[in-house]
Amino acid sequence: MEQTAHEPDWEFHFRSVDNKPGSIAVDLGLAKVAPLAHQPNLLKVSIKMTNPRPDGLSSLQETILLQNIEDDLEDALGKKCGATYAGRLTCGGHRKVYFYLGEPNGYAEHVQEVMQQYNSHAYTLKLIPDKDWNRYFNFLYPEPEQLQSIQNRKVVEELESNGDDLSKARQVDHWIYFKTEADRAAFLQSIAKENYSLVTSDYLASSEDYPHRLHISRTDKVDHQSIDKAVMYLRRLAQRHNGDYDGWETSIEV
């Protein structure tokens, strides 16, 4: 069976589902290869938790067991159906696990074989066509600002792994791209009182959509909360001026 060639990149985020708190784990790495033409079907395995928290999320006592169920389902469906594990939702006292697969290949029997080992947990199955992977891209995948926050955290964790002292403020550089020179000028006017320094402002002929580049910097802290606040402000402001926030970088301070 054809297997998915991609680099797994599992991350977590939260989403309200039917006015209930939901926790999602998703393989972001699949976005680089999806949708997969040979896996047009979505399988949802919904597992009823026996001891959920009052808010419907998984309790500490049940988390390890649920992880074991997921691992066994991934192993069985991957080996016997060539299925790709895309993500999961925890909400309302249920753990819903999502796989993409091609021909059914007896998927129900394979799930049953796994769940027989966990007979205290009731479950249901649902298989639907989803050739465009809409459930993955429009539900499991983070919203743009959530994805930006995840990316920010990854940079912060990389700094920490290199011995960075996050309590030290330092120069943080940001890049934003605009459709027109007037949009860029309006953006600069909007941040005039925010103590940003202009590093470069140039034109990229190779960029058709956003050729007007802006590079700014400011002294800031880079713990996750601080950098999220700074980045989200610039990102939202850039959008209001038809711009595209492209990211940030900084030095390691020890």
Side-chain angles (χ1 to χ4, degrees), residues 43 45 72-73 76-77 80 106-119 121 123-125:
L43 171 63
V45 184
D72 289 348
L73 287 172
L77 292 170
K80 298 174 182 178
Y107 71 91
E109 290 80 4
H110 302 316
V111 172
Q112 184 181 30
E113 289 173 3
V114 170
M115 295 306 298
Q116 283 176 345
Q117 305 171 52
Y118 305 95
N119 53 23
H121 286 70
Y123 74 96
T124 58
L125 296 177

Side-chain angles (χ1 to χ4, degrees), residues 194-225:
E194 300 295 333
N195 296 320
Y196 281 99
S197 298
L198 174 61
V199 181
T200 57
S201 177
D202 54 7
Y203 179 84
L204 299 178
S206 60
S207 176
E208 295 182 3
D209 296 328
Y210 295 90
H212 298 272
R213 180 170 60 180
L214 180 65
H215 176 189
I216 58 176
S217 70
R218 190 176 73 176
T219 299
D220 274 313
K221 291 183 178 180
V222 293
D223 59 272
H224 193 197
Q225 183 177 1

Side-chain angles (χ1 to χ4, degrees), residues 34-46:
L36 298 171
H38 68 284
Q39 294 183 332
N41 298 306
L42 174 67
L43 171 63
K44 179 177 73 174
V45 184
S46 181

Side-chain angles (χ1 to χ4, degrees), residues 22-228:
S23 172
I24 291 177
V26 59
D27 184 356
L28 300 180
L30 284 170
K32 297 179 180 180
V33 297
L36 298 171
H38 68 284
Q39 294 183 332
N41 298 306
L42 174 67
L43 171 63
K44 179 177 73 174
V45 184
S46 181
I47 304 159
K48 186 176 181 180
M49 290 186 277
T50 59
N51 186 31
R53 294 183 350 188
D55 61 4
L57 299 180
S58 58
S59 63
L60 183 61
Q61 298 92 326
E62 201 164 9
T63 295
I64 295 176
L65 180 59
L66 290 170
Q67 185 61 60
N68 290 338
I69 295 175
E70 288 174 50
D71 290 345
D72 289 348
L73 287 172
E74 180 182 12
D75 184 64
L77 292 170
K79 289 179 178 177
K80 298 174 182 178
C81 298
T84 297
Y85 182 25
R88 70 165 188 254
L89 165 69
T90 306
C91 181
H94 289 78
R95 174 66 61 85
K96 300 177 181 180
V97 191
Y98 297 89
F99 296 89
Y100 281 92
L101 64 159
E103 294 302 317
N105 292 330
Y107 71 91
E109 290 80 4
H110 302 316
V111 172
Q112 184 181 30
E113 289 173 3
V114 170
M115 295 306 298
Q116 283 176 345
Q117 305 171 52
Y118 305 95
N119 53 23
S120 61
H121 286 70
Y123 74 96
T124 58
L125 296 177
K126 188 174 184 179
L127 184 71
I128 61 172
D130 188 14
K131 65 181 181 64
D132 295 324
W133 285 42
N134 287 318
R135 191 65 171 175
Y136 172 78
F137 284 112
N138 299 327
F139 180 74
L140 294 173
Y141 204 77
E143 297 287 341
E145 286 200 358
Q146 290 175 315
L147 184 60
Q148 179 68 63
S149 182
I150 289 171
Q151 292 168 342
N152 292 343
R153 176 173 52 75
K154 286 183 174 183
V155 176
V156 171
E157 289 175 349
E158 180 67 20
L159 291 171
E160 281 189 300
S161 70
N162 284 282
D164 192 287
D165 182 354
L166 297 179
S167 67
K168 291 185 178 181
R170 80 291 303 271
Q171 178 176 318
V172 181
D173 295 274
H174 304 267
W175 284 263
I176 308 103
Y177 293 77
F178 298 89
K179 293 183 177 181
T180 68
E181 187 174 0
D183 288 334
R184 183 174 61 193
F187 176 88
L188 280 169
Q189 183 62 35
S190 296
I191 63 168
K193 297 181 180 180
E194 300 295 333
N195 296 320
Y196 281 99
S197 298
L198 174 61
V199 181
T200 57
S201 177
D202 54 7
Y203 179 84
L204 299 178
S206 60
S207 176
E208 295 182 3
D209 296 328
Y210 295 90
H212 298 272
R213 180 170 60 180
L214 180 65
H215 176 189
I216 58 176
S217 70
R218 190 176 73 176
T219 299
D220 274 313
K221 291 183 178 180
V222 293
D223 59 272
H224 193 197
Q225 183 177 1
S226 297
I227 199 64
D228 256 6

